[in-house]
Amino acid sequence: MNKGKLIVISGFSGAGKGTVVKGLVEKYGYSLSVSATTRAPREGEVDGREYYFKTEKDFRSLIDYNGFIEWAQYVDNFYGTPRKFVEDELEAGRDVILEIEVQGAMKVKKQYPDAVLIFICTKDAETLSERLHKRGTETEENIKKRIARAAEESESISEYEYVVINDELDKCIDTVNSIIISKHCRLEERIAFADEMVAGLKELL
Ligand code: 5GP
């Protein structure tokens, strides 16, 4: 059986990548990795669903036990991808989505060279700022930090294989799904299939 693929989805805070990821899970059944974070839960967030909410001490001990595939600091908090879930899902042949920021994505790319890296963008900078303000979950100071971080992250877009603009949500979800499907159809993924086909055809002669 083929192993699953790691799908890394990054994008500026406010680009709507969380909603895109939710759509991919609901509409196409992808497996989603739940990260650990030291950030406080936002209203409506549930431990174990949006994140595993950890103290800094617990987070650091998970780092020490090699419990993360990658971890990074983002604005004032730590975020990390728990190793076990991802490894088990890939082994079982399921594609796993990681919704993570750029530093973490680069670490994943090194460890899993065939991971699919996708960057989600708004159509322009003004739209990003508008969305962050409308969300109403962050302070003005935090929004400024997130925009500064977006400016930094924009320099790493060239490290990604695909850039998808999230202007219309449904279209964006379908585009990302098509990218993943096309990855699975690449020849290197289909070698065993091609060999079997050749053998099967020869038997027919
Ligand atoms: P937020 O605080 O808005 O939920 O997330 C802030 C940023 O952290 C987002 O860009 C999100 O994608 C990223 N993030 C969430 N989980 C992880 C993780 O496990 N690792 C890394 N490197 N970034 C993460």
Side-chain angles (χ1 to χ4, degrees):
M1 184 176 58
N2 279 347
K3 280 195 173 183
K5 275 204 174 303
L6 259 189
I7 319 296
V8 176
I9 299 194
S10 304
F12 307 132
S13 177
K17 62 185 183 305
T19 323
V20 172
V21 166
K22 199 162 168 261
L24 285 162
V25 171
E26 281 169 5
K27 191 166 174 189
Y28 295 108
Y30 289 102
S31 177
L32 176 64
S33 160
V34 177
S35 297
T37 183
T38 59
R39 164 166 86 54
R42 294 187 186 125
E43 212 184 308
E45 286 185 335
V46 175
D47 187 43
R49 190 178 68 189
E50 278 76 18
Y51 283 104
Y52 296 107
F53 295 99
K54 301 278 177 203
T55 61
E56 194 169 324
K57 186 166 169 268
D58 287 350
F59 193 96
R60 286 192 187 280
S61 79
L62 278 165
I63 297 174
D64 292 342
Y65 283 107
N66 196 25
F68 294 126
I69 285 178
E70 62 71 39
W71 63 273
Q73 189 171 5
Y74 179 89
V75 183
D76 296 325
N77 292 294
F78 294 108
Y79 296 82
T81 304
R83 180 180 299 280
K84 185 161 180 354
F85 174 81
V86 171
E87 288 181 349
D88 289 351
E89 290 295 280
L90 294 180
E91 203 52 50
R94 284 189 281 274
D95 292 342
V96 186
I97 297 182
L98 310 184
E99 187 208 321
I100 61 178
E101 52 68 70
V102 170
Q103 295 172 65
M106 295 305 112
K107 291 181 199 162
V108 171
K109 190 178 169 182
K110 276 207 187 110
Q111 289 174 71
Y112 297 86
D114 71 336
V116 187
L117 270 72
I118 303 171
F119 199 92
I120 310 278
C121 267
T122 47
K123 69 175 190 301
D124 52 36
E126 288 73 34
T127 311
L128 186 76
S129 169
E130 261 169 39
R131 285 201 194 159
L132 277 173
H133 283 93
K134 270 198 200 142
R135 192 154 79 175
T137 53
E138 312 297 329
T139 59
E140 190 57 36
E141 191 198 346
N142 196 283
I143 291 175
K144 282 225 171 78
K145 284 187 184 170
R146 281 171 185 255
I147 291 175
R149 183 62 181 249
E152 267 172 53
E153 290 192 339
S154 62
E155 295 186 15
S156 300
I157 292 181
S158 57
E159 301 287 338
Y160 284 74
E161 210 178 345
Y162 298 93
V163 179
V164 181
I165 295 181
N166 180 20
D167 206 10
E168 276 174 59
L169 179 63
D170 283 337
K171 212 169 131 196
C172 182
I173 292 167
D174 292 345
T175 303
V176 173
N177 182 54
S178 306
I179 290 170
I180 301 168
I181 292 172
S182 80
K183 274 283 170 184
H184 279 290
C185 295
R186 286 182 67 86
L187 183 60
E188 63 261 28
E189 302 275 326
R190 300 284 196 198
I191 298 280
F193 167 82
D195 287 348
E196 267 172 37
M197 183 60 100
V198 171
L201 289 171
K202 281 188 178 157
E203 265 174 36
L204 291 179
L205 291 174

